[in-house]
Amino acid sequence: RVPADNNGSERDIRMIKLRQKVSGCLRTLTGARQFCAIRSYLSTATKHGIGLFPALVHLAEGRPWMPATS
C-alpha cells in the first residue's frame, strides 16, 4: 500500500518480483536463493562501477570480484 519509490532497496527487489510475475513463480527455494545471490552480486558490482559482463566473466572463471574492505 506504500507508493513505489525509486530508492536502491526497491530497485534491488524489483527484478525478483518481475521474474515471479512473468514465470509465475520461482520453482524451488534453492533456485530463488541462487537467483537472489547472483542479483545481489551484480548489484554490488554495479554500485562499485564494475560492469555486469566483466563481473560475470570473473565469477565464471572462479575469481569473483570482491569489494575492497575498509
Side-chain angles (χ1 to χ4, degrees):
R1 297 177 190 257
V2 176
D5 192 343
N6 207 15
N7 68 32
S9 60
E10 287 184 5
R11 282 192 304 266
D12 289 341
I13 65 169
R14 191 173 297 142
M15 187 60 181
I16 195 160
K17 297 306 284 181
L18 178 65
R19 183 175 174 116
Q20 285 177 324
K21 185 177 179 181
V22 170
S23 68
C25 66
L26 292 166
R27 299 284 180 203
T28 64
L29 184 56
T30 301
R33 285 183 178 149
Q34 290 171 345
F35 179 79
C36 289
I38 293 169
R39 291 295 303 175
S40 175
Y41 174 77
L42 293 176
S43 176
T44 302
T46 300
K47 290 174 186 173
H48 285 271
I50 307 299
L52 298 179
F53 187 71
L56 287 173
V57 168
H58 289 295
L59 185 63
E61 291 174 344
R63 47 187 186 92
W65 170 84
M66 295 292 289
T69 57
S70 49

